[in-house]
């Protein structure tokens, strides 16, 4: 018989500086836990250039890259590792699409975010986009895990 149980996986979530500033860290954690995922690590910290350059390497050279890095350094971020079956795609679904103005209602970005007319989409959260990205990002933010 084929084993249809998906393996437990981990993802990296960041509550971005806009989310921390607006007091939405608890709301994001609440939604992760309410969905049934486990929290493995939660840490408030201020990101530096090295971690952000590695984290956003895929976006280097894009027009929003420099403002994105500045925004991500504008205040503390809440770095989170969450765990569960299919948590990578599950959290992306909870987060909603990149542009918060049109992200679906019911999602973190759709319910809580909007366009503020700035150079960078201030869209409250980051979530790893694949298990490979998750492994890379978790080792970057939480080398001890
Ligand atoms: P994602 O966070 O939904 O995976 P990515 O395309 O990986 O979106 O972009 C990383 C981050 O860069 C976004 O979350 C957003 O903050 C910012 N960003 C992406 N595309 C744009 C854009 O076209 N203009 C401004 N900011 C952007
Ligand atoms: Mg992305």
């Amino acid at each position: 018989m084929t084993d249809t149980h998906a393996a437990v996986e981990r993802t990296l979530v960041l509550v971005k500086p806009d989310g921390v500033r607006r007091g939405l860290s608890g709301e994001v954690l609440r939604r992760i836990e309410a969905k049934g995922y486990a929290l493995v690590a939660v840490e408030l910290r201020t990101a530096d250039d090295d971690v952000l350059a590695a984290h956003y390497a895929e976006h280097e050279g894009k027009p929003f890259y420099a403002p994105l890095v500045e925004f991500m350094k504008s205040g503390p971020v809440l770095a989170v590792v969450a765990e569960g079956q299919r948590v990578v795609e599950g959290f992306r679904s909870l987060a909603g699409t990149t542009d918060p103005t049109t992200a679906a209602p019911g999602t973190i970005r759709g319910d809580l975010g909007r366009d503020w007319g700035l150079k960078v989409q201030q869209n409250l959260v980051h979530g790893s986009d694949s298990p490979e990205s998750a492994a890379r990002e978790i080792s970057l933010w939480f080398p001890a895990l």
Side-chain angles (χ1 to χ4, degrees):
M1 198 178 111
T2 310
D3 181 8
T4 55
H5 295 277
V8 172
E9 54 184 37
R10 290 180 171 185
T11 195
L12 181 85
V13 172
L14 301 175
V15 181
K16 296 183 180 183
D18 57 333
V20 173
R21 265 195 292 274
R22 289 180 54 202
L24 296 172
S25 299
E27 173 65 14
V28 172
L29 294 177
R30 188 194 66 73
R31 289 177 183 227
I32 292 169
E33 290 192 300
K35 182 84 171 174
Y37 300 127
L39 300 175
V40 176
V42 177
E43 194 181 311
L44 193 68
R45 66 160 76 155
T46 304
D48 62 25
D49 283 314
D50 288 348
V51 77
L52 289 171
H55 180 83
Y56 282 127
E58 65 172 307
H59 296 303
E60 206 190 328
K62 294 182 185 172
F64 61 84
Y65 176 78
L68 173 62
V69 169
E70 281 314 301
F71 161 58
M72 291 298 289
K73 289 195 298 182
S74 68
V77 301
L78 192 77
V80 178
V81 176
E83 184 175 84
Q85 285 84 3
R86 298 175 66 195
V87 67
V88 172
E89 61 183 314
F91 181 76
R92 295 281 291 187
S93 178
L94 286 182
T97 50
T98 306
D99 179 351
T101 294
T102 54
T107 65
I108 293 166
R109 289 163 169 174
D111 284 350
L112 308 171
R114 49 163 286 202
D115 179 38
W116 302 97
L118 302 169
K119 280 188 217 159
V120 177
Q121 297 284 2
Q122 302 210 353
N123 54 11
L124 301 168
V125 289
H126 165 84
S128 308
D129 64 8
S130 68
E132 295 71 30
S133 299
R136 188 180 71 80
E137 293 170 2
I138 290 168
S139 67
L140 198 56
W141 288 84
F142 292 99
L145 279 183

